[in-house]
Structure formats: C-alpha cells, structure tokens
Amino acid sequence: MSTIDEVKAKIDIVDLVSEAGVKLRHAGKNYTGFCPFHANKNTPAFVVWPETGTWRCFGECNEGGDIFKFVMKKDGIDFKEALQKLADKAGVKVEKFEHAAPEVKEANEHLRKLLEDAIIFYRSHLFNNKDVLTYLREKRGLKDATIETFGLGYAPNGWDNALKHFTARGYSEHDLFDAGLLTERNDKKHYDRFRNRIMIPIRDENGKMAGFGARIVGPNDIPKFLNSPETPIFSKGRLLYGLDRARKPIRAADQAVIVEGYMDVIAVHQAGYENVVSPMGTALTEDQLRLLKKFTRRIVLALDPDTAGQKAVLRGLDAARSAMDREGELGFDARGLLKNEARLQADLRVASMPDDLDPDEIVARNSEEWKQLIENAKPIVTHVMDTLAAGQDLTDAKVKNQIAAQVLPLIEDLPNPMERDTYRQALARMLRVDERVLIGAPAQGPRTRRPRPVAGKQAQESAQVAVSVSSGKKVEAYVIGVLFRKPELLYRLDRQLQQLGLTALAAQDFEYTDYQMLFGLIREAVEQDKSEHHEFVVDALPEQLQGLSNDLLVESEKIDPVEEKVIEDLLRGIIKLRRMAAGENLNQLRFLQEEAHQAGDLRTASYQELVMQHTRLLRDLDQANRKMTLKRQE
C-alpha cells in the first residue's frame, strides 16, 4: 500500500472537514454544510461523501476532490505539503520511494493465487468427508448454498497432504510457508499447518484472499480455532471476517454488528442479517474500527454469554485488555472502546445474548429475536453498569462503592460533558445515592485525558491498514494507468470522445488528487514535442507519486495488445466515471434543491439549472454508450 493510500485510510474526511470549522449534518448517507471557501448563509451547498472520501461544492466554488485537495485549498499549499501535513496527522511516515514495491506486489498476488487454489483443495476434501459435512449441515444448521458461498472446506488429517498436493503442482515449500499453509519444526522441516480441521477462507474487505481460519473437528484437539500466521497479506488485527460480504448490507443498515466467531458470522448471514463481521477471536483493534467506520459509525458488539468479555468486567476494568488478548476470546475493554468511540466519533453499543446462547443459536431459535436484541443494544457505560450490578446486593454500601469505583473512570473518560452528567445521574439512580456524592468520589485508576484529534503513538506504530476501494477508483486507476503507460493514446481518446458528442478528458474527471496530478503531466506530455511522451511524464513525476506510478505500471502491464480494444475500454471507463459522478451529483442536487425551496432560498433556480445540466449529461452519456454498442455490432 502506498503512503498516499495509507493516509487516506487513516484520515476520515468527515472529521477533517468538521475540524476545519464546517458544521456538517446527515443528508442520507452523506453530509452537507456551508462551503468554507466562499460566503454562503442560506442553504448548504457543500457535500461530503464519506464512502469515497471526497467532497464537492455545488455553489460558487464548483470544486471538489479528496482530503488532499481540501487541505491544499484551505491552507493554500501544494500536494507535497498537504501529504506531509496529513501524514503527520495520521501518524504515517512519508518514506522515500522504494523500487522493490512492484516485486512485493507481484509476490503477494502469487500468494493470493495459492490461497485461492487451497480453497479448491480443502473444498474437495470436505465433500469427500461425510462426517464433517453432516456436522456442518445438521449440528451447525448450514445449508449447502451457505457452505458454498463462504467457501468452507476440510483439511484432511495427516502431516503432508497439502505439502504433497501443491508441490506436485509447481508451488515451492517456500511459497506454502509464506502463505501460512505450512509450519516449521525445530529441525527446519516443513509440515501442514492445518490438519483435521474445518477450513474457513478469510478475505479482506475487497474480497481478496488473505488466509484461513480453522476449527477443530475432534473435541480433544487444541486449540479450538487456529488462524493463518502473520504473513505479508494476513494481519489478524487489520482484517474483519465477513466484511467482503457485509460491506453493502452495513451501508444499507447504517450499522455493523460484531460477533465473536466465524460460525456466528456464517449462521447470522444465513438467517438474513448480513451486516455482521468478526474480529476472528481477538481483542478488537483500532484499525478494525477504522475499517468499519468507512461504512458506518454505528457499531454493535454482540457478545457471547460465556466470553471472558462479560466476566472480565467483574474482575476489574483496567485488567480487561490483558485478560482479553488471548486466542479465541473477543476482547471487551470498556475503557479502550470508549477511547476509540471518542477518537473515531463512532457510536459503539453492546448487545448481550440471553439464556447462555451464542449468536448462531439465537438465530436458529428465532431469527426475529436477533433483530430485537440488536435494536436493544446498550451504550458501553450502561452495559458495564448493568453487568456489574447483576446479582449484587445494591443496598450494601461496600458493593455500591466497588461499582462506583469501576464505573466512574469510564464516565470521566467521556469527552462530552452532557454524556458525563447523564451517566452520573443514571449511576446515582441505580445505586440510590445522591449524585453529589459521585462527583466527589475518588475513581479507581488514573483519569485519562480527553483523546486528541491527532493520531498519536499507537497510530504511528500501526502498520498499513486495508483501504476500501470503490469501483469508481478502480476505473480511475485503469484509465490513468493505461494513459501513463501510453500517453499518446490521449490524442485518439479525445477525438473519439468528441465524435461521441462528449468533452475531452480532463483532470476533473478524476476524483482523487494524485490521479489528477498524474493526468496533468500526461496532458503536458502530449502537448510537447521535445521528448518521448512516457519519458516526459517519468522525468516530471514528483517523488511522492513514484510509488503510485509504479503500481499503475504493474496494473496496466497486461492491457489488450489490440489498440482499438484498449481505446474502447478507455471510452467505456470514462463514460462510467462520468455517469457515476453525474448520478451522485444529481441525487445530491435534488436534495439541495428541495431544501433551498423549503427555505425560500434564491439558489433554488441555480440548483434547478444544475439538475438540468446533469440530466442532459446523463442522456448524452447513455447515447454515447449506445453509439459504441451499435458501432461494434456493425
């Protein structure tokens, strides 16, 4: 991952714009506010899209872009300065470009292909093992369609089944070890890591294979769950199981639910609740929460009744993290979760499972009950209070003191004074004491400062996080990658666009500042005649875009050798980009138009004109698509 992508992953555009003094409010899945770059007082014309990390002003500016463009425009600085400023804020080190990046990327893709082949290998063994298949169908209640959808398999018993299978197909032991399929003995000999286990493929949020989770079949085997080891493409603290399938449902519900295990995710998805993910049995990390925040700010932790997450609360909140950092237990660190909630401006809640049932057992008993439990999820502080009070004699002064000593530090950590007052009142009512006593009571453990908006040491020490890649960004990457490799195609592309009744390709067709800058150099290259086009771009390339350009060369390496086909693909890509942008803008403009009309704002007529412009553009783009289709059929 490039430094630019890592900064984008760690800086939330809604937070960035809000910190700049723009008061944003929800408008569907987006946010609107008054543009900070010109005077506007009646209705908001400034829109932020958190999903793509972009913004646009539909007013006087008529500009837009990503986090870098926002900082460049706000502070009057160039891209290099904006990158450094935002990297410092995110705790990301801006390093010199390293030419080894393409080789690393190619090696990682090789590992992913091996893991995809491993899914087929384990799947074939599952359907040849009647006992394991019966267990999944009858004991776990999984349908064949679900088993197929989640790619479940079985690792046969034995020390070298995978080793022999894959080496016979041309993979090296080194490949298998790097992919986490083999482990090493003291004598440096390799053997199968997964044996006699149900195999669960783990993908990143973009659907790319990363590793496996493996559950025991024999009741006496240990550990119960075994994950892939840390590899170049598998980092347990930065992945969420099921997120590749849960992304759209999370956005649709504007809520993500976190459960403890793989089987819980699979069973709850099968029951129709697809906004569910799992941190794979370890303490929930800030990187995982940041990943979820790209899709929603409303997150529910659905804790199994027998997890140490519930019991650790009773042992003392400060000890909860160390108690939870073990394989096979979902971490419940109340203080850590509250800090992340404040830092990420999220809404974290807790839903407890009743009757000693796990989530998969709840949905098997009554799927509607699951829906009710999630809807009734409690804020973290309320959950802690109820857990500590359960089964206790609240008339005993010592019990009251013990509960207050553990809850008050959490309340004092809250950055919002209204929330602190509300929870103090709730605690006073629960303990039946005067609230003034709680205000003066000593808290157990040190009081922590309010979280700073700038990422600190923890963020600096964290490695790369996964980036959500929209389909629009993939198209942008393809178009800019092909033109970077062959800038001379821009001549033909512009002529073809003109023949289709469309305007020439421009920097504004790209949402992201780094792509806009690279396109600007490509345009310069074809307009000069002193050097070869591609060489011109390479020579003029700023250092901070070197990593991006190398990635683009790798991505565009296998373009179609037939130039006519490449031009057609580019045209369709550009039409798709413009159509997506026009559609998003049109939806937002209609919202702004209605709001302006209700407020009696004079901008209603301007919005109407913009709506008409975007409607005409969509019509022209559809006509262009039809022309291309008819031409190909001739």
Side-chain angles (χ1 to χ4, degrees), residues 157 159 183 191-198 214-227 327-328:
N157 209 358
W159 297 95
T183 192
Y191 61 93
D192 289 1
R193 177 178 178 85
F194 303 111
R195 306 175 305 280
N196 193 31
R197 286 179 177 270
I198 296 167
R215 188 191 191 282
I216 60 170
V217 173
N220 297 322
D221 291 345
I222 55 172
K224 184 177 181 181
F225 288 99
L226 180 66
N227 290 316
E327 185 75 23

Side-chain angles (χ1 to χ4, degrees), residues 251-264:
R251 288 196 196 102
D254 191 22
Q255 184 183 68
V257 179
I258 297 175
V259 296
E260 184 178 5
Y262 309 106
M263 292 300 180
D264 290 328

Side-chain angles (χ1 to χ4, degrees), residues 615-626:
T615 303
R616 287 193 292 269
L617 175 58
L618 285 171
R619 181 198 62 201
D620 293 345
L621 292 169
D622 288 342
Q623 287 178 351
N625 251 330
R626 284 194 291 272

